[in-house]
Amino acid sequence: QVQLVESGGGLVQAGGSLRLSCAASRSLFSINVMGWYRQPPGKQRDLVAVITGGGSTNYADSVKGRFTISRDNAQNTVFLQMNSLKPEDTAVYYCNAKLRDGTTWLNYWGPGTQVTVSE
């Protein structure tokens, strides 16, 4: 199993920046894909960014050019640098880990961290 704990959320004005951290309980080398999802109030949970074990990244169109996902393998930590924040970025942000176990994919989630962007 993998335990995930997010941190770094908070309140920021539009145009500002935040950096979220996700600390994993095991080596990132053992996790196929790490990602960030977000869920605005009253809306579904959507993908924000992912990073593979090989370092490939992918982003939702709404955050391209503003958000950057990265990792520190020595610290078993994945980051989400969020710049030029907009009010529509307000959401609970969740860290996700996907592991392939034979033919089965396993999903693990952190408890989430709140990001609020004021106008």
Side-chain angles (χ1 to χ4, degrees):
Q1 293 186 323
V2 182
Q3 285 75 51
L4 304 170
V5 180
E6 304 97 337
S7 62
L11 175 65
V12 65
Q13 292 186 345
S17 299
L18 284 174
R19 189 177 77 156
L20 305 183
S21 299
C22 173
S25 63
R26 60 189 290 178
S27 173
L28 300 186
F29 292 116
S30 67
I31 303 173
N32 294 96
V33 184
M34 294 290 298
W36 288 95
Y37 291 70
R38 68 185 181 185
Q39 186 169 22
K43 298 183 179 180
Q44 67 180 13
R45 184 181 300 185
D46 290 325
L47 177 69
V48 176
V50 297
I51 186 167
T52 70
S56 298
T57 60
N58 196 21
Y59 299 90
D61 288 340
S62 59
V63 306
K64 279 187 175 180
R66 300 188 298 121
F67 291 11
T68 303
I69 188 170
S70 62
R71 67 190 179 203
D72 185 337
N73 293 330
Q75 297 294 322
N76 294 345
T77 301
V78 174
F79 303 97
L80 184 68
Q81 178 66 46
M82 304 184 294
N83 298 325
S84 301
L85 283 162
K86 305 174 181 179
E88 47 264 48
D89 295 319
T90 295
V92 177
Y93 284 70
Y94 297 92
C95 184
N96 170 259
K98 288 182 169 62
L99 295 82
R100 181 176 288 278
D101 183 9
T103 60
T104 301
W105 280 99
L106 303 177
N107 271 279
Y108 299 91
W109 298 91
T113 185
Q114 176 71 46
V115 172
T116 303
V117 184
S118 62
E119 297 183 4

